[in-house]
């Protein structure tokens, strides 16, 4: 199992939901799991999941990933408890969620790169780092003739 990017304590501090009778730890864990699934789904084409450096899974995650996990879990809890926005309160689960999604899109597109605490870039997924780029003259193994070209019309 992949280690969670954030903790119940961090999410409870963010939300202010300290009453474990009304909002149980198990419920907060579900929201953290959902938040982490969203993060993994958004960045899996850019970085290896679980997040790793040189093939070794991280035990401490980049602070941005932890913050995004807290932000997404918080937004889900706010929306469950209050709806999307509570007028005049400053609590807006929808805005928190949208803000996190924008950052995840920047990570996914490569505008924001993730590094470990030593400044080493995390392992990139193969789809974001191809071993070759097809050309008009090339083939995957270099010997098989092409069966079609980019100018063929079907």
């Amino acid at each position: 199992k992949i280690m969670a990017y954030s903790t119940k304590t961090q999410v409870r501090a963010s939300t202010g939901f300290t009453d474990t009778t009304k909002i149980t730890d198990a419920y907060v864990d579900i929201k953290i799991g959902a938040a982490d699934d969203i993060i993994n789904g958004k960045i899996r084409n850019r970085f290896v999941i679980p997040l790793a450096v040189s093939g070794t899974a991280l035990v401490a995650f980049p602070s941005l990933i932890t913050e995004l996990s807290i932000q997404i879990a918080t937004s889900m809890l706010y929306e469950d408890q209050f709806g999307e926005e509570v007028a005049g309160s400053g609590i807006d689960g929808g805005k928190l969620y949208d803000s996190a999604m924008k950052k995840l899109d920047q990570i996914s597109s490569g505008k924001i790169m993730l590094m470990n605490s030593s400044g080493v870039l995390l392992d990139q997924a193969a789809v974001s780092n191809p071993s070759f780029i097809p050309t008009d003259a090339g083939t995957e193994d270099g010997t098989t003739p092409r069966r079609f070209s980019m100018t063929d019309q079907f």
Side-chain angles (χ1 to χ4, degrees), residues 1-6 36 58-61:
K1 181 171 165 57
I2 298 174
M3 195 168 84
Y5 296 137
S6 62
D36 292 357
L58 298 181
V59 292
F61 301 107

Side-chain angles (χ1 to χ4, degrees), residues 30-99:
I30 289 168
K31 297 303 179 183
I32 291 169
D36 292 357
D37 287 346
I38 290 168
I39 291 168
N40 289 339
K42 289 288 255 181
I43 68 172
R44 70 182 175 80
N45 287 332
R46 176 68 52 189
F47 294 99
V48 172
I49 304 295
L51 296 175
V53 171
S54 301
T56 302
L58 298 181
V59 292
F61 301 107
S63 56
L64 177 58
I65 293 297
T66 299
E67 179 58 33
L68 290 171
S69 177
I70 294 167
Q71 193 172 348
I72 294 167
T74 296
S75 75
M76 291 177 182
L77 287 165
Y78 280 167
E79 287 184 6
D80 286 354
Q81 298 303 307
F82 305 118
E84 231 178 78
E85 180 179 5
V86 180
S89 70
I91 295 174
D92 188 338
K95 279 186 181 175
L96 272 177
Y97 185 84
D98 291 345
S99 172

Side-chain angles (χ1 to χ4, degrees), residues 137-148:
T139 60
E140 192 169 325
D141 65 6
T143 60
T144 306
R146 290 182 161 266
R147 293 204 161 82
F148 64 91

Side-chain angles (χ1 to χ4, degrees), residues 109-122:
S109 71
K111 289 180 182 170
I112 296 175
M113 296 305 286
L114 298 177
M115 297 178 206
N116 70 3
S117 59
S118 300
V120 177
L121 184 66
L122 301 190

Side-chain angles (χ1 to χ4, degrees), residues 4-45:
Y5 296 137
S6 62
T7 66
K8 290 182 283 279
T9 303
Q10 291 168 319
V11 171
R12 286 191 180 281
S14 176
T15 61
F17 297 152
T18 57
D19 186 340
T20 57
T21 304
K22 293 181 180 175
I23 300 173
T24 65
D25 282 346
Y27 188 68
V28 174
D29 280 337
I30 289 168
K31 297 303 179 183
I32 291 169
D36 292 357
D37 287 346
I38 290 168
I39 291 168
N40 289 339
K42 289 288 255 181
I43 68 172
R44 70 182 175 80
N45 287 332

